[in-house]
Amino acid sequence: MIWQISVALIAVAFVVLVVFLVKTLKAAENSLDKTTQTLQEIQKTVDELSYEVKQVVRQANSITEDVEHKMKQLDPVLESVKNVGDVLNEVTLAAKQVSTSLIGRMKKTSHKAGSKAGAEQVVAQEEHPIDRSMHTYGSTYDRAANSKSEPGWMKWVDIASGVWHKYRS
C-alpha cells in the first residue's frame, strides 16, 4: 500500500509539474508569437523605408546630375566673365598709364620755369605716387587760383588721377 501511495504521490507531483510546464510553455509560446508579429511589422516597415530611401537616393543622384550639367553649362559664361574682367583690367591699366603720362607732361610744362619747380620735382620723386598726385593737385590749384591761364580740364585730370591712385592702393 505504501507503494501505491508513493506511486500516486509521484503521479500527482508529475501532473502538477506537467500543468506548470504547460502554463510556462503557453506563456513562452505567446511571447514568441508576439515577438514574431513584432518582427514581421518591423520587416514591413524596413521594406517600406528601404523603398523610400532608394527613391530619395535616386532623386539625389538625379539632382546631382542636373546640377553638374548646369555647372558645365555655366563654365563658358564664367570664363567669359573672367575674360571681361581681364580686359577691364587691361583697359584700366592703360588708362592709368595714359593719365600718368599726361600728368607727367603737364607737370614738365608747368614746372620748366624757376628753381621752385626743381625743388618740387625732387620732393615729388621721393614721395609716394599718391602723395605726388596730391602734390600736383595742390600746386595746380594754387596756380589756378593765382592765374587763370591753365585750362580747366587739368583740374579734372588731377582729380581723376588722385582718385585712381587711392582706388588702386
Side-chain angles (χ1 to χ4, degrees):
M1 172 131 159
I2 283 231
W3 273 96
Q4 290 176 348
I5 293 177
S6 296
V7 171
L9 281 174
I10 291 174
V12 170
F14 185 74
V15 168
V16 170
L17 180 65
V18 168
V19 168
F20 280 113
L21 282 175
V22 167
K23 285 184 178 181
T24 303
L25 289 175
K26 287 277 189 184
E29 182 184 17
N30 287 337
S31 294
L32 287 174
D33 286 343
K34 288 181 182 178
T35 304
T36 303
Q37 201 174 33
T38 303
L39 287 174
Q40 287 174 349
E41 290 175 7
I42 289 173
Q43 184 64 37
K44 286 180 185 177
T45 304
V46 166
D47 290 342
E48 290 172 3
L49 287 176
S50 167
Y51 176 75
E52 290 177 12
V53 166
K54 287 178 185 176
Q55 292 291 31
V56 168
V57 168
R58 285 186 190 121
Q59 287 178 353
N61 287 340
S62 173
I63 289 170
T64 301
E65 288 175 5
D66 188 39
V67 167
E68 286 176 357
H69 177 70
K70 288 179 180 175
M71 290 299 289
K72 286 179 183 175
Q73 288 178 338
L74 280 177
D75 280 344
V77 173
L78 295 175
E79 186 68 27
S80 296
V81 169
K82 180 187 176 290
N83 291 339
V84 167
D86 291 342
V87 167
L88 286 176
N89 190 26
E90 293 293 326
V91 167
T92 55
L93 287 176
K96 178 184 174 186
Q97 290 173 349
V98 167
S99 65
T100 304
S101 65
L102 185 62
I103 289 170
R105 275 191 249 149
M106 288 182 189
K107 190 174 180 181
K108 285 180 184 177
T109 59
S110 65
H111 290 290
K112 283 185 179 179
S115 63
K116 182 178 178 184
E120 287 177 355
Q121 271 187 327
V122 170
V123 170
Q125 289 173 354
E126 294 173 0
E127 294 176 351
H128 189 271
I130 294 173
D131 295 335
R132 276 187 302 195
S133 176
M134 297 310 282
H135 182 70
T136 305
Y137 177 80
S139 64
T140 300
Y141 288 110
D142 288 343
R143 266 189 250 115
N146 295 335
S147 66
K148 297 290 182 180
S149 64
E150 296 184 59
W153 60 271
M154 280 181 32
K155 170 175 70 172
W156 295 108
V157 170
D158 284 338
I159 291 172
S161 175
V163 169
W164 180 253
H165 284 293
K166 285 182 181 180
Y167 174 76
R168 292 297 287 181
S169 296

